[in-house]
Amino acid sequence: MQWYVIFKKEILENWRNMKWIWVPIVFILFAVMDPITTYYLPKIMDAVGGIPEGAVVDIPMPNANEAILMSFNELGLLGVLITVVIAMGVISGEMKSGVYELILSKPVKYTNYVSAKFMSLALIVFLSIFLAVVAGWYYVSLLFGSIDFTKILTSILFFSLYFALIIGIVIMVNTWVQSPGVVAFLSLIIIIALNVLTSIYGHIFTWSPALIGDYIGEYLHSGVLSTEIWYSALMAVIFTFACIQFAILTLKNRALQ
Amino acid sequence: MALLEASHLTKTYKDISVVNDVSFSLEHGKCVALLGPNGSGKTTTLRMLAGFIKPTDGNISFNEDRLSKDFRNYVGYLPQFPVFHNWMSGKEFLIYAGQLAHLSKTEAIKRADELLDLVNLKEVRKLRISKYSGGMKQRLGIAQALIHAPKLIILDEPASALDPIGRREVLNLMRELKKDATILFSTHILNDAEEVSDEILLLNEGKIIEQGSMHELESVQSTVTIKLSFTDEPKFIEDRLKEIESVFKVTRENNDYFLTVHDLQIARKQLLEVVHRENWQLTRFEVAKTSLEDLFMKAVKK
């Protein structure tokens, strides 16, 4: 009941500050940008000119699977950035402004407070990813060739789990410092560290959630879900849960200082 | 039976004790003022009672209900500078606060309407809080503290930041609330404390240095100061004033005279007789320093 009250308030807040509008639009732009520019690149170069006479520019056209993977990659970078930005003040901002004090003077359970915020953010981000990838898929189907939609849906599900982890990390950092800017900075450092460590030790950490994007590429290509993608999805869920728990504990301990 | 008992409350931050061994109890239906200069530990004490921060030592017990350890259920709290979700309207925020305190939606709406009436915000209930004035926010802050009909209302400097009209409104409101709840409020404005409170806790440097009912404190206090001003300086005024038997000290500041007296009733009578007899052009007769202010100054300077 109390959880739902906070959740509803978050949804309403995100509606009034237009997050429900701009986040999906920005995600869609990221997803369709690459396939479209890749397709039209030869024509653009022709029109712009500047290529010496007689030079043969031969850009290999990607196939449909490779094209939609561009959308995923783009979201994996810029989409993550936007996710960090919309989540950076979700708790720290309320602490900084002081409204946290009024809310927590009511018998609010920290578990409800943190998890409702997580779910409301996840809802926006998941919806944005869904719309963005579907839009990307639409253009890819028009320009490069068809892809089975169930493959797209499965990929979106796995991809969303990676984003759940991103939100979890940002929420955890939210409870450490009271400045949204610093929260964004620290969160990005953690996310980058996760990705760098994974790319260095990828052969050991085959279950790393940061590899979900790579595994989606393999899956789109082969059509078979590997064991690794299941493991990394499981790890993403576990890490997300751990981040949320850690955030709750941090807030509780702060209150009990 | 006391509603709340705080025993040996202590709060230290990195070896600096902000609140030091504070014990008191709050009786049902009393309005208690927590007085003290800035930095004396008032806010920290209130925050401990509101359940925000845990005391380093000592404990707080509500005698009302021992079932729930979370005493935020029985406490309504107004912070010194209340901040709201500015994108909500006043009514929306009250309903939200009510639901957070486990009221059902219909209960919360009903209660919000009652309180908007009480704190005189009915006209602006649908306006975004970002458009509210400071006084309106303070009143909305009081309303949200009352939303779940708490047994104890804790107000941190409820009137200090307000203009005289806003202050008057808040004090009247507190007088109204006193009828069916226990109030603990902090202030450094002595007049406010004198006006609405039944009991005083005087805090300095994290310690309680004086506590008791208004009457007790007033009777302990033996002297009153009277301030006099005149249009033009009468001759021999200082000597004449000193001759009055109930006056035992006369001091002059600028053009005002301050008389220290033991008994206000007698002193006033004798003083006005002299003024009348000597035909002094008196423009101002004021009981300048209240006994509380005297007490406060003495206690804090110790």
Side-chain angles (χ1 to χ4, degrees), chain A residues 5 10 14 17 37 39 51 55 64 66-67 75 77 83 93 114 117 124 134-135 170 178-179 189 193 195 218 229 243:
Chain A
V5 170
E10 290 292 322
N14 289 334
N17 62 26
T37 47
Y39 183 78
I51 299 156
E66 285 161 359
L75 288 174
L77 287 174
T83 305
V114 174
K117 280 176 182 291
I124 290 191
V134 169
V170 184
Q178 287 188 17
S179 153
I189 287 190
N195 278 281
E218 287 170 18
I229 197 170
C243 285

Side-chain angles (χ1 to χ4, degrees), chain B residues 23-274:
Chain B
S23 303
F24 58 89
S25 63
L26 298 177
E27 302 289 330
H28 275 286
K30 284 273 161 42
C31 181
V32 181
L34 188 60
L35 276 173
N38 289 330
S40 56
K42 300 190 293 284
T43 298
T44 309
T45 307
L46 295 184
R47 292 177 123 229
M48 283 193 277
L49 296 176
F52 272 122
I53 47 178
K54 196 184 172 191
T56 318
D57 203 10
N59 62 46
I60 300 162
S61 63
F62 272 84
N63 293 327
E64 197 58 35
D65 191 333
R66 293 179 189 279
L67 292 176
S68 168
K69 266 189 85 182
D70 191 350
F71 46 72
R72 293 181 298 178
N73 284 307
Y74 327 117
V75 176
Y77 174 65
L78 170 72
Q80 192 167 0
F81 307 105
V83 182
F84 307 90
H85 289 301
N86 282 332
W87 51 271
M88 285 186 178
S89 73
K91 188 173 175 182
E92 278 174 336
F93 190 86
L94 287 184
I95 295 171
Y96 178 50
Q99 286 184 296
L100 287 181
H102 304 301
L103 298 183
S104 74
K105 179 140 196 187
T106 35
E107 281 169 344
I109 292 171
K110 188 167 158 265
R111 192 78 187 130
D113 280 329
E114 285 169 18
L115 288 170
L116 285 166
D117 235 1
L118 180 72
V119 299
N120 210 1
L121 287 175
K122 212 170 183 183
E123 260 97 77
V124 292
R125 69 187 183 279
K126 286 183 178 160
L127 214 62
R128 296 273 164 94
I129 298 172
S130 50
K131 303 246 177 5
Y132 280 23
S133 70
M136 288 173 175
K137 282 185 182 165
Q138 199 71 15
R139 278 179 282 149
L140 183 65
I142 293 178
Q144 68 77 32
L146 300 174
I147 192 83
H148 54 310
K151 298 244 156 49
L152 173 64
I153 302 165
I154 296 179
L155 308 170
D156 197 356
E157 305 271 0
S160 305
L162 298 178
D163 63 23
I165 298 167
R167 182 178 150 263
R168 174 69 26 221
E169 282 172 347
V170 167
L171 290 180
N172 288 340
L173 196 56
M174 285 170 66
R175 214 169 277 133
E176 199 65 33
L177 298 176
K178 233 162 90 168
K179 289 171 189 162
D180 37 33
T182 310
I183 303 177
L184 174 65
F185 74 104
S186 75
T187 183
H188 55 255
I189 301 175
L190 301 165
N191 282 338
D192 293 358
E194 243 170 5
E195 221 172 288
V196 290
S197 64
D198 308 309
E199 281 178 34
I200 303 276
L201 293 168
L202 188 52
L203 207 61
N204 190 35
E205 290 171 353
K207 287 192 184 118
I208 289 189
I209 44 180
E210 203 78 61
Q211 74 182 97
S213 72
M214 268 331 257
H215 285 301
E216 281 166 24
L217 293 179
E218 265 164 7
S219 60
V220 168
Q221 205 52 34
S222 54
T223 62
V224 182
T225 305
I226 296 171
K227 177 182 170 184
L228 297 176
S229 322
F230 303 95
T231 36
D232 50 326
E233 188 103 340
K235 283 171 194 160
F236 313 118
I237 178 161
E238 216 153 330
D239 296 333
R240 288 277 182 279
L241 287 174
K242 276 176 186 160
E243 280 164 15
I244 304 170
E245 63 182 301
S246 59
V247 175
F248 70 91
K249 197 178 147 207
V250 178
T251 51
R252 193 181 161 177
E253 254 176 55
N254 301 325
N255 288 321
D256 301 325
Y257 289 88
F258 291 92
L259 315 183
T260 310
V261 302
H262 279 298
D263 189 321
L264 182 60
Q265 304 299 331
I266 297 169
R268 176 161 44 204
K269 189 160 169 280
Q270 293 178 340
L271 190 63
L272 289 176
E273 271 170 15
V274 175

